[in-house]
């Protein structure tokens, strides 16, 4: 398979078929050690250090309020989205150091773009790290260090020796509920939580936050009646280091 041909596939298999692209690492820098837990279940001081999401295409991937494809945190925790819901992984300290060193060696810690500009509906992978944003346009066609490094950001391919424990479903404490106008829904139900209309405008929707275990299951064909209005609802689990609607982008 050509280098990075997999980057335009679906989220569950997007990077699994790529070849090796480790590149040459710069001298190692210290990786943050895991810290103790805070009262809300997130380790104290845990912060986002690297994230990527797939955007664009005819389907309009990665739109406002969507879950990022991959998020890596300072504790070594990583959360990757997939067809069956997000999965949580935990890197050990040495593997975390190698990954971050490799990302910086690939140029992901400086803002720039790779690939052609002005291509309508082009798939673009957007990587954020150290306050920088890298845009990789048509990643399946990119053979530079940025494109080659993407395969290392597929946690499903990480060796067991790099991990602390086994991957497990990510279980959020809270869920952002993104509500919008109902369109042609066949089933209407009564919304059982805080009135949806009392939320704040976020990502083109009205957002409220609720305990994850209390948010009812829903489908695109289901509408919800709340406060005299009818809405469509899109649950979006809050990730580590997220706590409110303002964290949903």
């Amino acid at each position: 398979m050509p280098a990075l041909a997999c980057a335009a596939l679906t989220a569950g298999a997007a990077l699994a078929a790529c070849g090796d692209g480790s590149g040459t690492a710069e001298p190692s820098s210290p990786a943050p050690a895991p810290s103790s837990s805070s009262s809300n279940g997130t380790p104290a001081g845990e912060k986002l250090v690297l994230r990527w999401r797939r955007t664009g295409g005819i389907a309009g991937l990665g739109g406002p309020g969507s879950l990022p494809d991959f998020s890596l945190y300072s504790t070594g925790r990583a959360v990757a989205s997939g067809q069956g819901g997000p999965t949580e992984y935990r890197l050990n300290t040495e593997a975390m150091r190698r990954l971050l060193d490799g990302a910086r060696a690939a140029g992901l810690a400086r803002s720039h773009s790779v690939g052609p500009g002005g291509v309508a509906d082009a798939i673009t992978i957007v990587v954020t790290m150290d306050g920088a944003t890298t845009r990789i346009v048509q990643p399946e066609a990119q053979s530079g260090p940025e494109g080659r490094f993407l395969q290392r950001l597929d946690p499903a391919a990480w060796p067991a020796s790099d991990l602390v424990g086994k991957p497990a479903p990510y279980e959020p404490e809270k869920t952002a509920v993104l509500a919008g106008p109902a369109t042609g829904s066949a089933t209407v139900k009564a919304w059982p939580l805080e009135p949806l209309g009392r939320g704040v405008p976020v990502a083109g929707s009205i957002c409220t936050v609720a305990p994850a275990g209390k948010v009812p299951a829903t489908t695109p064909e289901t509408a919800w009646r709340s406060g005299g209005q009818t809405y469509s609802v899109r649950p979006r689990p809050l990730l580590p280091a997220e706590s409110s609607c303002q964290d949903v982008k």
Side-chain angles (χ1 to χ4, degrees):
M1 177 177 290
L4 294 180
C6 56
L9 299 178
T10 59
L15 302 172
C18 292
D20 181 44
S22 57
T24 301
E26 295 176 345
S28 295
S29 56
S35 53
S36 60
S37 295
S38 63
S39 59
N40 65 1
T42 296
E46 185 175 51
K47 63 180 181 179
L48 180 70
V49 295
L50 189 152
R51 169 171 286 171
W52 72 264
R53 68 171 76 227
R54 184 179 293 99
T55 67
I58 296 175
L61 300 174
S66 62
L67 198 67
D69 292 83
F70 173 86
S71 301
L72 177 66
Y73 298 88
S74 56
T75 57
R77 173 158 55 168
V79 179
S81 63
Q83 293 287 344
T87 300
E88 179 175 313
Y89 303 78
R90 290 187 181 271
L91 283 172
N92 63 44
T93 301
E94 179 57 31
M96 175 78 162
R97 179 183 293 111
R98 290 197 310 268
L99 190 67
L100 293 179
D101 285 346
R104 294 187 179 102
L108 299 182
R110 60 181 180 85
S111 294
H112 63 295
S113 295
V114 177
V119 179
D121 299 324
I123 294 291
T124 300
I125 288 182
V126 180
V127 184
T128 55
M129 178 184 184
D130 292 349
T133 300
T134 301
R135 299 176 61 83
I136 305 173
V137 183
Q138 294 181 329
E140 74 283 359
Q142 306 310 319
S143 58
E146 303 92 344
R148 293 197 306 271
F149 187 77
L150 288 178
Q151 65 188 291
R152 293 182 62 185
L153 299 180
D154 172 21
W158 290 346
S161 59
D162 282 354
L163 301 177
V164 178
K166 295 182 179 180
Y170 172 67
E171 298 182 358
E173 289 194 351
K174 297 179 180 180
T175 294
V177 178
L178 303 175
T183 56
S185 300
T187 303
V188 180
K189 299 181 179 181
W191 182 250
L193 303 177
E194 176 184 357
L196 296 170
R198 294 182 184 175
V200 297
V202 167
S205 303
I206 301 174
C207 176
T208 55
V209 171
K214 293 187 176 181
V215 176
T218 188
T219 68
E221 293 73 33
T222 302
W224 296 91
R225 191 74 177 168
S226 177
Q229 301 292 324
T230 303
Y231 301 88
S232 63
V233 162
R234 180 164 50 111
R236 197 284 208 179
L238 291 183
L239 295 174
E242 297 179 342
S243 61
S244 69
C245 287
Q246 283 68 30
D247 295 318
V248 179
K249 300 177 181 179

